[in-house]
Structures are given as structure tokens and as C-alpha cells.
Amino acid sequence: MQQHERANFGSKLGAILAAAGSAVGLGNIWRFPFEAGNHGGAAFILIYLGCVFIFGLPIMIAEFVIGRRSKASTGKAYSVLAPGTSWKWVGYFGVLTGFLILGYYSVVAGWTLEYVFQAAIGGFSGKTPGDFVGMFNDFSKDPLRPLLWLFIFIALTHFVIVKGVKSGIEKSAKIMMPLLFVLIVLLAVCSVMLPGAWKGIEFLLKPDFSKVTSHVFLGAMGQAFFSLSLGMGCLSTYASYFSKDIRLGHTAMSVGLIDTCVSVLAGLVIFPAAFSVGIQPDAGPSLIFITLPNVFQQAFGDIPFLSYICAVAFYVLLALAALTSTISLHEVATAFLHEKFRFSRGKAARLISCSCLLIGIVASLSLGDWSEYRIASLTIFDALDFLTAKIMLPLGGMLAAIFVGWFLKRKIVRDEVTNNGLIKAPYYSAFMFILKYVAPIGISFIFINELGWLG
Ligand code: PFF
């Protein structure tokens, strides 16, 4: 164990914001609103909250226990806590998952920079809805431009990572997270004040239980995993930098709350504005990169300055959210190389940045020139998303739950959640019951369902 010279987050708030920075990302602003809107609005939100409480928070605490106790990144934590066993493969599996996610996630993160740029130079003004479709298609299929932004985004992530834990990750989270929160609240206020906005609020918040099927339950659970950054040891790596006095249960609650608030606020930015200008919200990339520029253009058309500011603010917000998440993904692999092979942080970070750039290039080109290369009929980009988010994350989360629920000594778990008996953890019995039974069985269901989709 490399107990000495190990970095720590400097404060409890810094630790919470860094973990929340990992959780809040493209998953909240891009994926959640659409899932909620199309799967029964408030009904989906209620089920999602259930998933966050029942599966998400206990698994997050389990990952915190693994990280803080081992004082090692996820790639090494299992070897420290269960030496000489095959559990170490769970750690390596987490590193691989994070590395693959970082590759394709950075592609979309790079797109956010193109849109910050376009918004800033006034590139949206005077465009018709058709122009926005053309603009996005031309850009995402262009062989070079997305690669340039991918490179810039990975370079930004790299820069924060080499600065280290306290002055890189923690400091950036302390600046970016409050800024992100202020921006999203302001945008939500602007959006809900637009004429006819209530239709969008209704679309998002009116419970419609007729749309709830078993698929909705499973979708909500998958969304909870991706959004809370669970299942690949990302938060367990951050927890290895937690000091002894951090309350694991309290930190998990705070991260879960911040993440969920941002998701709901993102819905309140997107849907009221879209309905107000009579645009039917669409899925995935087109919602964020085609519908929204159009919405900003039309909704505040009478006040061009407001439309300009809202567009710039929104894409800056998206880029910041993506950056705090790519930092956390990068850290998992960097810390692993640093600890396992004793590379300096700089060298480890360079290796990860370069290889992730290669994956990103392949993923990006697979949406354009290389779209004919397919894996089980999916482009390489979609295949990476499917494999990591739908299979590897639930599997990693289930294994972490089984590890803490069944294998780790009871005393270790209790000591961690109670800070060696200094604080109370009234949730302990329920937490253990979930880790032992509820999570493994529940996650097996998502898993079987997703594999069913493959066939
Ligand atoms: N939670 C991030 C999001 O919602 O965009 C994505 C993510 C980050 C997933 C880190 C997994 C992870 F380890």
C-alpha cells in the first residue's frame, strides 16, 4: 500500500464537489431529460429516484468504502483489500471501462466546444431549423473538425489531471460546480418564463403511469448508474483521496442530491423552451445540438442579446459538466498506471491522453467516413456506448456490491461507514441488505434485459 505521500482532498466540500463533478455530466443534461420526458415524466422521475436511493446510494457508499479503506485507485484497491484473489480483475475491469468511456465521451465533449465557439461568434443567428440540421450533420461527419475539438478537450482534461488531486481536480471542481449550478438555474428561470412554457413543464413533470413498463424501470436503473458514475470505480478512486473524517453516507447523499437536481433542472431548461416555440423534443444528439440552438434562436428572437447569452451560457455549461466528468474518468486510469507501474503522474497522464485520443479518433470517424465499419450493426461509437454503459457499468456495480456485501470483513465496512465508531450510521443494516441481496438480483435483471436487446 502506498499510504505515505498519498494526496488527499483538502476539505469535505472539495471532496463532495469533486465527486459531484464526476457525476454531473452529459448524462444529466443530454440523456436524463429525454428519458424522463418520454417515459412518463414525473412517473419516470419517481422511479429514477427510487433507483438512486435503493441501488445508487448504497453502491456509491460501497465504492467509497473500497476506495478509502484501500487508499488505492480502483485498479489496485481490490488487490489491497483481497490480496492474492481474483477480485483484482474487478479493479482492472473498472480501469478498462473508464478508459473506453473516456474515448467516446470525449468526442461528444469536443462537440460541446464547437458549439461554444459557434454560439460565441454568433454562428446561430439568422439560421432556420433546416440550417441547424445541416450544420450538425456537416460538423459531426467532417473528418477533421471534430478531431480538433476532441484533441483540445483531451488536452484540457490532461492539464487538470497533471496538476494533481488538490490543485487540479479539487480546485477545478470548486470553481466549475458552483458556476454550473448558477448557469443552469438562470437558464431554467429564463426557460420557464417563456410564453407557453407550461406545456414543457407538464411534459416533464406530469406523472403518466400508462407509459411505465418494465423497460422504464430498467432504463431508470441504467440511467442512475451512468449518471452517478457508478460501476467502474470512479468514485472509489476519488474516495481514496478522502480524509478520515469525511462521512461516507452524508457525502453519497449530497452527490446523489446534486446530481438529481441538475438532471431535473436540465429538463426545466430544455422542455419549456422547446414547447414554447412549438418544437417537439427529439432524442440524443439532435436534442442538444439541433433543437436547442433553434430554440435559443426562436425563443428570444426579439432580444438578440438574450438569445446570444443563453446559447453561449448553455454550451459553456455543457462543456464544464463534461469536463468535470472526463477528469474523473481520466483519473481512474492515470492513478492506476501511477500506482501499479510507478510511472510519474505526468507520464501516466500522457500515456492515457494519447491512447484515449486514438480511441476518440476511431469513435469520431465511425460517425462519418468510417460508418460502414460496424459491430453487430452498430457504429464503433454506438458499440462503445452500448458495451460500456449497458453492460460493463452494471456488471462492475454488481461486483462491487457483492464484494462489500459478502467478502469484505464486517468490521472494515462498519468502521468505514461510522468513521471508526465516531459517528452513527443508522442506515447500516438496510445498506448491507441491499448490497447482499437487492442490488445483485436487481442488477442481474438490467443485465439480462440489455443482453436480450443484443439478440
Ligand atoms: N456521470 C457522467 C455523466 O452523467 O455524464 C458520466 C460518467 C462519468 C460515467 C464517470 C461513469 C464515470 F465513471
Side-chain angles (χ1 to χ4, degrees):
M1 275 201 255
Q2 297 184 345
Q3 308 277 19
H4 48 278
E5 53 145 73
R6 197 178 167 76
N8 261 350
F9 288 123
S11 66
K12 289 181 193 164
L13 181 67
I16 291 176
L17 291 181
S22 167
V24 172
L26 296 171
N28 303 63
I29 301 173
W30 167 352
R31 206 159 171 250
F32 179 86
F34 175 75
E35 291 272 329
N38 274 348
H39 293 117
F44 176 91
I45 296 180
L46 283 177
I47 296 167
Y48 176 78
L49 284 178
C51 291
V52 168
F53 271 96
I54 296 171
F55 300 103
L57 297 184
I59 291 182
M60 196 185 291
I61 298 173
E63 289 203 11
F64 285 166
V65 168
I66 295 171
R68 185 168 68 175
R69 184 68 185 198
S70 65
K71 294 214 182 310
S73 72
T74 193
K76 208 177 158 209
Y78 289 89
S79 315
V80 172
L81 296 176
T85 65
S86 303
W87 281 105
K88 63 172 184 272
W89 291 103
V90 178
Y92 301 156
F93 183 72
V95 176
L96 177 68
T97 310
F99 181 68
L100 295 177
I101 296 181
L102 182 61
Y104 76 87
Y105 194 90
S106 304
V107 174
V108 184
W111 295 353
T112 66
L113 292 182
E114 161 80 6
Y115 275 68
V116 170
F117 174 72
Q118 288 296 343
I121 60 165
F124 298 157
S125 86
K127 286 212 162 52
T128 63
D131 293 339
F132 285 115
V133 177
M135 182 175 154
F136 178 70
N137 286 341
D138 290 348
F139 166 69
S140 61
K141 293 189 170 64
D142 188 291
L144 280 180
R145 214 174 155 84
L147 300 188
L148 172 76
W149 290 117
L150 167 72
F151 176 80
I152 295 176
F153 207 93
I154 292 180
L156 285 173
T157 309
H158 180 91
F159 175 75
V160 176
I161 289 291
V162 289
K163 288 277 222 184
V165 174
K166 212 182 269 180
S167 42
I169 300 175
E170 182 174 357
K171 200 164 163 197
S172 61
K174 274 183 164 167
I175 299 168
M176 288 194 258
M177 291 309 289
L179 185 61
L180 190 146
F181 211 76
V182 171
L183 279 179
I184 201 163
V185 169
L186 286 178
L187 282 169
V189 169
C190 284
S191 181
V192 298
M193 276 167 39
L194 288 168
W198 62 270
K199 274 197 200 140
I201 301 176
E202 196 179 85
F203 178 73
L204 180 68
L205 295 181
K206 193 172 160 201
D208 179 357
F209 287 99
S210 69
K211 288 191 185 152
V212 175
T213 59
S214 67
H215 243 58
V216 175
F217 273 93
L218 301 170
M221 193 138 64
Q223 172 65 18
F225 263 86
F226 189 81
S227 189
L228 294 172
S229 300
L230 295 176
M232 48 150 286
C234 192
L235 294 182
S236 112
T237 300
Y238 271 15
S240 72
Y241 309 126
F242 283 3
S243 54
K244 281 199 301 256
D245 59 340
I246 285 186
R247 297 158 172 245
L248 301 188
H250 175 262
T251 306
M253 272 297 279
S254 310
V255 173
L257 203 69
I258 295 174
D259 190 66
T260 308
C261 282
V262 172
S263 292
V264 174
L265 281 167
L268 287 176
V269 173
I270 293 166
F271 292 118
F275 275 84
S276 153
V277 296
I279 291 175
Q280 184 62 35
D282 205 350
S286 50
L287 180 63
I288 296 294
F289 296 107
I290 297 174
T291 310
L292 274 182
N294 195 21
V295 164
F296 293 131
Q297 193 55 30
Q298 290 188 36
F300 308 107
D302 300 342
I303 320 167
F305 181 67
L306 194 56
S307 117
Y308 175 84
I309 289 290
C310 281
V312 175
F314 181 79
Y315 290 105
V316 166
L317 167 92
L318 205 57
L320 287 180
L323 185 60
T324 48
S325 297
T326 53
I327 290 168
S328 70
L329 289 160
H330 199 302
E331 177 62 19
V332 172
T334 302
F336 172 65
L337 292 187
H338 175 57
E339 289 170 3
K340 173 95 183 158
F341 302 107
R342 298 185 182 277
F343 292 167
S344 68
R345 262 188 84 85
K347 183 173 175 191
R350 275 195 300 282
L351 261 170
I352 298 303
S353 296
C354 291
S355 31
C356 151
L357 185 64
L358 288 181
I359 299 185
I361 290 173
V362 174
S364 182
L365 290 174
S366 78
L367 297 172
D369 285 359
W370 292 2
S371 58
E372 74 267 24
Y373 300 113
R374 304 232 159 197
I375 302 170
S377 84
L378 297 173
T379 61
I380 296 173
F381 181 98
D382 289 337
L384 279 171
D385 182 45
F386 183 89
L387 180 71
T388 52
K390 304 267 168 73
I391 297 178
M392 294 172 91
L393 288 184
L395 186 60
M398 183 167 86
L399 292 170
I402 294 174
F403 181 71
V404 174
W406 292 95
F407 286 87
L408 208 54
K409 283 203 185 88
R410 274 309 70 92
K411 176 163 167 31
I412 293 185
V413 183
R414 201 176 254 288
D415 281 354
E416 283 302 324
V417 295
T418 61
N419 289 358
N420 293 319
L422 291 176
I423 54 168
K424 290 204 167 69
Y427 57 84
Y428 181 76
S429 312
F431 161 71
M432 287 309 282
F433 181 76
I434 288 174
L435 291 187
K436 282 180 123 167
Y437 306 105
V438 182
I441 295 170
I443 295 165
S444 303
F445 272 116
I446 324 184
F447 198 52
I448 290 164
N449 176 68
E450 303 298 357
L451 279 179
W453 283 2
L454 261 182

